[in-house]
Amino acid sequence: MTQILYNSTRNNQNKLTAAQAIVKGIANDGGLYFPETMPTIDLDWDHLKDASYQTIAKLVLGAFFTDFTEDEIAYCVDRAYDDKFDNELIAPLKAINEQVSVLELFHGNTIAFKDMALSILPYLLTTAAKKLKIEEEIVILTATSGDTGKAALAGFSEVPNTRIVVFYPKDGVSDIQERQMVTQEGNNTKVVAVNGNFDDAQTKVKELFNDQALNKQLKKQGFLLSSANSINIGRLVPQVVYYVYSYAQLLKNGAIKSGDQINVSVPTGNFGNILAAYFAKLIGVPIEKLICASNRNNVLVDFFNEGIYDRRRPFYLTSSPSMDILVSSNLERLIYLLNQRQDEPTKEWMEQLINKGSYQITQTVKEQLTDFYANEADDFLTATTIKEVYQDNHYILDPHTAVAYAVYQQYLKETQSQDRQNVTVIAGTASPYKFPESVLHALEVNTAQLSGRQLIEKLAEISQIEVPSAIKNLFDAPIRHQEVVEIEEMKDTILRFLIKY
């Protein structure tokens, strides 16, 4: 097998092995690591339709991470995808009707799709560090719009030779999301709320990764920064697995025949999940259209329709908070790829985004966006969709998944009649129990007098779905993290936690 190296989207000469790129997280030039070539994988659907999630994960990860041995990949996969998931299929595919199935990515520790990649990242990272003979303690530094934080905390809690610091926007996540983070156990964990939105926190985190003086100071103290966001290639590639798996499951269920094209609709914020679907298409999964679903923070909709990325717009807090993002970091990887892997234009566009707040891609790149369809769903349409799907199919969507379903419906109306449409997979990104108040409101239940615990109990009564163990005792857990800081205080907060100065 030919070894695949990873280069920065802003400097093609900055090349690392997969292990090095996973540990590094983000390049020193601010770019994101991207495979020099896409792997060639034998997707034998006759075999894969009966394969377990773990088997498909080993196939896909082994093809991308060529410097890991077969045994190392197997070690990571087998420990990541075990009984911590409450469904033995790991990512079950639930048919809503003949045309639509929901890929349930929320059966892990934190009942959100981030568990799929963040269950394996700690094993990939510590295995990579061992391969590279790294002696420093690895510090995971991440900003979260809600789900990444808890999933990363759960994944890295008490993992030897690691620490993790998570920043989240105060008042910018759901009550359940916040409580999941602030009750996190583990002496190596630190959770901090910031006065600002997710984009503010993420921009500062990227700045700290590129702060050479900080990195030098930390190295002297025996620490090495790394990332758990989807800017880390070790987060992105594991997400490719479940799109391969979903196609195999459609075959097994008889919903499609081998070679049939499908569509995928993904609720999209930081662009990592839908980019993973695009990677799946590039390695041979027959995906025709990637439906990019946004909420009221519709910066990606304008990008795909106009070729202009402009973050200079109002920032809205919505019922789908994990998508409340105006700077979609992983989009950098897509435009780099579609621009023939040219690093200079990518670097210029990203600098324009930082300095001017916007950039415009060339017509040549814009013409290559035809694999994607983009549209938005506001809170009203999201709530309406939750209600209608429940009434018609007795299936409850969380607000993020409802955004994807609503935009899929818009795509149908704008393209062709449903009876001629491809089978579509909706990426089910969170359990409805993650956002009980929004879901109950959509179902026209009066929630005004209900506490957090009562919201969960009421949703259980209506849905007849067992409360996930991840949140069953959440409101009995003690609050362990209460610090709130300003954006400019984030650096000192990290240093105090690590160095105790």
Side-chain angles (χ1 to χ4, degrees), residues 279-292:
F279 273 35
K281 176 182 173 77
L282 294 178
I283 64 172
V285 179
I287 298 172
E288 182 174 6
K289 189 67 70 172
L290 297 111
I291 300 171
C292 177

Side-chain angles (χ1 to χ4, degrees), residues 47 170 218:
H47 168 68
K170 185 66 179 169
L218 291 178

Side-chain angles (χ1 to χ4, degrees), residues 41-61 77 81 85 87-94 101-107 116 237-256 262 264 276-277 279-281 283-287 423 425-426:
I41 306 179
D42 179 18
L43 297 177
D44 180 355
W45 297 114
D46 286 339
H47 168 68
L48 293 178
K49 67 182 176 65
D50 295 314
S52 67
Y53 190 90
Q54 293 87 341
T55 297
I56 292 177
K58 291 170 187 176
L59 174 68
V60 174
L61 296 179
V77 168
Y81 304 115
F85 287 82
N87 189 298
E88 64 179 10
L89 296 178
I90 308 299
L93 195 67
K94 298 289 181 69
S101 290
V102 175
L103 179 63
E104 293 188 345
L105 302 172
F106 48 77
H107 289 279
M116 302 301 297
V237 170
Q239 293 178 262
V240 178
V241 175
Y242 47 72
Y243 292 109
V244 180
Y245 182 72
S246 65
Y247 191 86
Q249 289 299 296
L250 287 172
L251 285 170
K252 184 175 185 176
N253 298 341
I256 59 172
I262 66 169
V264 175
F279 273 35
K281 176 182 173 77
I283 64 172
V285 179
I287 298 172
V423 167
V425 172
I426 307 289

